[in-house]
Amino acid sequence: MDSVALSEYLVLSAILFALGVYGFILKRNIITIFMSIELMLNAVNLSFVAFANYWNLLEGQVLVFFVMVVAAAEAAVGLAIIIAVFRTRQTLNVDRVNLLKL
Amino acid sequence: MNNTTIFIIVAVVKIALVAFILLTGVAYMTWLERKVVGHIQNRWGPTRVGPFGLLQPLADGVKFILKEDLVPDRVHKGLYILAPGLALTMSLVAIAVIPFGNAVHGIPGEGAAGSALQITGMVQDGSIGDINIGLLIILGATSIGVYGVALAGWSSNSKYALLGSLRASAQMISYELALGLSLVGVLILSGTLSLRGIVDGQISGHPWLGFLPHWYIFPQLIAFFIYLMSAYAETNRIPFDLPEAETELVAGYHTEYSAMKFAMFFMAEYINMITVGCIATLLFFGGWHGPALPFLPPLLQSLLPIFWFSVKIFVFMFVYIWIRGTLPRFRYDQLMAFGWKFLLPLAIANIIITGLIVALRG
Amino acid sequence: MLHHVLFIIFGMICVAGAINLVAQRHPINSALSLVVVMGSLAMIYLLLGAEFLAAIQVIVYAGAIMVLFVFVIMLLNAGEEERTQGNHFALWLGAPAVATLAGMLMWIVFRNDPHKTVALGNMLGSPDNTHGLANLLFTKYLLPFEITSVLILIAIMGAVVLSKKEG
C-alpha cells in the first residue's frame, strides 16, 4: 500500500458529483441550488487534477484554472439575478417563482 | 532518539517560542499604542500600573480572563463561538510561514532533519527548504479571515453588529484585490513565490550607488505605498476603521462579544498587523538583511539577522500607531471609492509597467 | 501509507461536508459546509502535487466566491426552507435517480484496472507547479486565458447592471 489508486480519487469525485446533483434536485431554496452547482464543479475539478497527476500532463490543471474562473463569473452573475428575483417576488423558494406573471 | 523525534521536539519548541514571543509582542504593542497615541494627544497614557505603565497589559489580560462572559439570548451558538476562533487561527496560520532569518547553527538535530528559522521550514543538505507558495498561503489566510468578521456579525443577531460586519467584510474583500496585485510587481522582479527566495533575491549583488542595497522598495515604491494602504484597510485600522469605530455603529461586528472572545478578536487584529509588517519587510525591505557588525562575538553575530528583522517590524508598528494618532477616518463611500477607483487601477498600471521594463531588459 | 491515510481523512471530511450541505435546512449552514468541502479539496490537491491550484482554490473559491454566497444569504435574510409539495416529489424520485447515477459512475471507474496508481506530490518535468502552469498559460493557452479575462469583465458589468435598483 504505497500509493493510492487513481480510481479512489475518481470515486470521491463521483460521490461529490452525485451529492451535488441530489442537492440540485431536492432543495427548494435558490441559493442552496446554486451551491450544489458549485459542488458539482468542484467534483469535476478534482477528477481533472487526479488525471493530470496520473498522465503527468499539466493541461488538466490548466483546465481546472479555467473552470474556476468560469465558476467565479457565473456565481457573480447568478447571485445578481437571485437578488433581482428576490426584489420582485420577495421569496427565495423556487416553487413560488414558477410563473412568469407575478 | 531518531531523527523524527528530534524533529518533532524541535518543531514543538519553535512553535512554543514563536507563540510566546508573538503574544508578548501583541500585549506590549497595546501598551506602546496607548503611550504613543497619548503623547500625540498631549497626555501621558498609562502610567500608574508599574513603572511607565509597563504592567498595564498584564492588568488588561487579567481583566479579560476574569470578566463575565455574557452571551446574548438569541445568538446562533455555534457560529458565535466559531467566529473569534476562526479569526485568531487564520492570523496564526499566516505567521507560521514567515521566515525570521538565516539558519542558526548549533541546534541539535541539524543536518539530519534540521530546522529552519521559521515554523514550517526544514534544512536539507545545507539548503533551507521553504514552502514554495508561502506568499499565497498568507493571502489565503487573509481571505479566510474575512469569515471571522462576517460570521461574528451574523451570529450576534443584532442590527448594529450585522451592518458593521457587512461593511467590514465588504471593505476587507475590496482591498484584498489591491493588496494582492500590489505584490505582483515584487513577484515579477523576484521570480518566486517563496518568502525565503524573495529575501535571497534582495541580499545578493553589488549595491547601487555604492550604498543602496538591492531591496525591492527602490524599484517598487508605488507598489509599497499601495500595499501599505491596502494593508491598513485589511486590518481595519485608521484611517479605514469605520466598521469598528466607537462613534459609529456602537462597536461594529464585535458589539455583542465580551471578555475572552473579544480579546480573541483584539489579538487577531494585532497579529494581523504584525503579519503585515513582516510581509512588508520581507518583500520590500530585504527581510533580515542588515549591516554585519564584526565586533560582536560569533553567537550574537549569527543572531544579528533576527535583530534587524525585529527592528524593521518595530518601525512598521510604530508607523501604524503614529498614523492612528494623526489621521481622521474615511467615510464608507469614500473608502470604497478609494479602493476600487484609485488603488486597483494604480496597482494594475504598476504591474504593466514593471512587466514591460523587465521584459525589455531581457 | 501516509498518502492513503491523508487521502481517507480529507476524503471523509469532503463527503461529510457535502452530505451536510444537502441535509441542512438553513442556507448559511449549507454555505459553511461547502467552505469545509472546498478546504479539504484544497488539501487533496496538495496531495496530488498541485500546490498552486490548492492555494488558488482557497483564495478564489473558499475566500471570495463563498464569501459572496454568505453575503447574499446575510443580505436577503434567507430563512429556513419550507416544506412544499415539490419537496416530496423530489425526495422520492430524486434519491433513487441519484443513487443510480453514482452507482453507474463508480461501476465504470472500478471496472478499469484498479492498479493504476497516483504518485504523491511532485510532477516531473517542471521545476515548480507555478512555473509549469504559467508556462502553459502564457504560451500554449494564451487565447483562452485572454478570453476568460474578457469573460470576467462581462460578468462584472452584468452583475453591476443586474443589481442596480429601479429608478
Side-chain angles (χ1 to χ4, degrees), chain B residues 79 132-133 147 154 166 169-170, chain C residues 32 35 51 62 66-67 74 128:
Chain B
L79 295 180
N132 53 358
I133 44 163
Y147 279 109
W154 168 256
L166 277 179
S169 27
Chain C
L32 293 175
V35 175
E51 70 249 13
M66 291 313 299
V67 170
M74 286 178 8
D128 201 350

Side-chain angles (χ1 to χ4, degrees), chain A residues 1-12 14-23 25-29 31-32 34-36 38-39 41-43 45-46 49-50 52-54 56-59 61-62 64-77 79-84 86-87 92-93 95-96, chain C residues 1 3-4 7 11 14-15 18-19 22 24 27 30-31 34 37-38 41 44-45 47-48 50 53 56-57 61 65-66 68-69 72-73 76 78 81-82 84 86-87 90-91 95 98 101-102 105-106 109-110 114 116-119 121 123-124 129 132-133 136-137 140-141 144-145 148 151-152 155 159 162-165:
Chain A
M1 245 218 266
D2 56 336
S3 246
V4 181
L6 176 65
S7 53
E8 304 199 25
Y9 281 99
L10 298 181
V11 162
L12 177 64
I15 294 178
L16 288 177
F17 190 82
L19 281 170
V21 173
Y22 184 50
I25 296 178
L26 175 69
K27 307 294 265 180
R28 297 293 124 200
N29 193 328
I31 302 183
T32 315
F34 217 141
M35 287 193 280
S36 312
E38 297 292 332
L39 181 61
L41 285 171
N42 271 301
N45 278 352
L46 173 64
V49 177
N53 189 324
Y54 177 70
N56 229 348
L57 286 175
L58 275 179
E59 265 79 351
Q61 299 188 8
V62 170
V64 169
F65 193 81
F66 290 139
V67 168
M68 278 190 202
V69 167
V70 170
E74 163 211 358
V77 176
L79 286 172
I81 294 180
I82 291 177
I83 293 182
F86 183 79
R87 279 214 192 107
L92 281 173
N93 197 331
D95 285 335
R96 305 215 188 288
Chain C
M1 185 58 198
H3 187 183
H4 219 108
F7 171 69
C14 271
V15 173
I19 293 180
V22 176
Q24 289 282 349
S30 304
L34 189 57
V37 169
M38 287 174 179
L41 272 181
I44 296 182
Y45 291 169
L47 284 177
L48 288 168
L53 278 183
I56 294 295
Q57 167 99 348
Y61 246 125
I65 298 181
M66 291 313 299
L68 187 59
F69 271 100
V72 169
I73 294 176
L76 300 184
E81 268 195 26
E82 19 178 272
T84 56
N87 237 339
L91 191 64
V98 169
L101 173 68
L105 284 173
M106 289 199 271
V109 167
F110 273 124
K116 293 182 183 171
T117 54
V118 158
M123 296 190 46
L124 314 165
N129 186 243
L133 264 181
L136 275 181
L137 271 178
K140 212 161 133 191
Y141 297 103
F145 181 72
T148 48
L151 176 72
I152 293 186
L162 277 172
S163 46
K164 264 191 190 309
K165 279 204 162 71

Side-chain angles (χ1 to χ4, degrees), chain B residues 11-29:
Chain B
V12 168
V13 166
K14 269 197 301 188
I15 292 176
L17 201 63
V18 170
F20 175 70
I21 295 177
L22 194 64
L23 294 178
T24 313
V26 162
Y28 278 93
M29 205 152 71

Side-chain angles (χ1 to χ4, degrees), chain C residues 79-100:
Chain C
E80 297 205 346
E81 268 195 26
E82 19 178 272
R83 296 264 163 203
T84 56
Q85 191 200 31
N87 237 339
H88 286 273
F89 196 60
L91 191 64
W92 291 111
L93 210 58
V98 169
T100 317

Side-chain angles (χ1 to χ4, degrees), chain B:
Chain B
M1 271 223 202
N2 57 349
N3 287 332
T4 316
T5 323
I6 296 183
F7 182 67
I8 293 180
I9 293 179
V10 172
V12 168
V13 166
K14 269 197 301 188
I15 292 176
L17 201 63
V18 170
F20 175 70
I21 295 177
L22 194 64
L23 294 178
T24 313
V26 162
Y28 278 93
M29 205 152 71
T30 61
W31 172 83
L32 185 71
E33 172 158 6
R34 291 168 73 170
K35 275 299 221 194
V36 171
V37 171
H39 280 275
I40 289 179
Q41 296 170 348
N42 205 13
R43 56 185 171 87
W44 285 107
T47 46
R48 294 194 186 274
V49 190
F52 296 107
L54 276 172
L55 294 180
Q56 182 73 38
L58 198 64
D60 282 336
V62 170
K63 176 194 84 171
F64 276 132
I65 297 177
L66 294 181
K67 207 167 181 178
E68 177 190 0
D69 197 27
L70 279 170
V71 173
D73 195 18
R74 306 264 218 89
V75 298
H76 193 300
K77 268 289 174 36
L79 295 180
Y80 187 77
I81 302 180
L82 175 72
L86 191 63
L88 188 59
T89 308
M90 286 302 137
S91 329
L92 292 173
V93 163
I95 292 275
V97 300
I98 291 182
F100 299 117
N102 282 321
V104 176
H105 300 283
I107 300 182
E110 190 192 323
S115 292
L117 212 61
Q118 64 193 73
I119 295 185
T120 50
M122 204 165 93
V123 176
Q124 287 165 331
D125 333 317
S127 67
I128 302 179
D130 184 27
I131 300 187
N132 53 358
I133 44 163
L135 194 61
L136 286 182
I137 290 186
I138 296 183
L139 285 178
T142 319
S143 302
I144 305 279
V146 175
Y147 279 109
V149 172
L151 294 176
W154 168 256
S155 64
S156 298
N157 201 16
S158 142
K159 283 190 276 285
Y160 299 117
L162 183 65
L163 281 178
S165 82
L166 277 179
R167 281 185 176 183
S169 27
Q171 171 187 326
M172 284 167 90
I173 59 178
S174 309
Y175 280 85
E176 251 169 43
L177 282 171
L179 190 102
L181 286 178
S182 67
L183 298 178
V184 173
V186 172
L187 294 178
I188 293 179
L189 288 178
S190 74
T192 171
L193 279 167
S194 134
L195 289 168
R196 199 170 275 280
I198 293 176
V199 174
D200 286 336
Q202 295 176 68
I203 293 185
S204 53
H206 190 72
W208 298 317
L209 299 180
F211 65 94
L212 283 181
H214 276 250
W215 293 351
Y216 288 138
I217 176 136
F218 299 116
Q220 295 282 319
L221 191 64
I222 301 178
F224 173 65
F225 280 108
I226 300 175
Y227 172 72
L228 213 59
M229 290 189 274
S230 313
Y232 282 8
E234 273 295 308
T235 46
N236 281 339
R237 291 282 293 189
I238 293 200
F240 300 102
D241 78 334
L242 193 80
E244 59 180 44
E246 277 131 20
T247 53
E248 315 288 328
L249 293 180
V250 190
Y253 59 92
H254 45 71
T255 310
E256 303 286 344
Y257 282 88
S258 58
M260 211 52 214
K261 301 197 195 71
F262 174 72
M264 284 165 84
F265 273 121
F266 207 57
M267 280 196 288
E269 177 175 326
Y270 280 93
I271 296 178
N272 272 330
M273 283 165 61
I274 294 183
T275 308
V276 161
C278 287
I279 299 190
T281 50
L282 286 173
L283 261 71
F284 293 102
F285 282 95
W288 52 83
H289 186 210
L293 306 175
F295 49 83
L296 286 177
L299 178 64
L300 285 184
Q301 253 195 339
S302 64
L303 288 178
L304 204 56
I306 308 179
F307 173 70
W308 291 126
F309 191 70
S310 319
V311 165
K312 293 176 195 176
I313 295 182
F314 178 76
V315 169
F316 274 105
M317 295 301 110
F318 188 77
V319 169
Y320 250 117
I321 298 173
W322 189 3
I323 290 191
R324 180 198 168 148
T326 317
L327 294 179
R329 62 173 66 99
F330 273 115
R331 212 174 55 223
Y332 191 66
D333 57 323
Q334 292 171 332
L335 194 154
M336 296 300 267
F338 184 65
W340 284 102
K341 294 190 202 169
F342 180 67
L343 284 186
L344 187 64
L346 195 61
I348 294 178
N350 179 53
I351 295 176
I352 295 176
I353 295 177
T354 308
L356 267 177
I357 294 181
V358 168
L360 287 176
R361 265 186 166 194

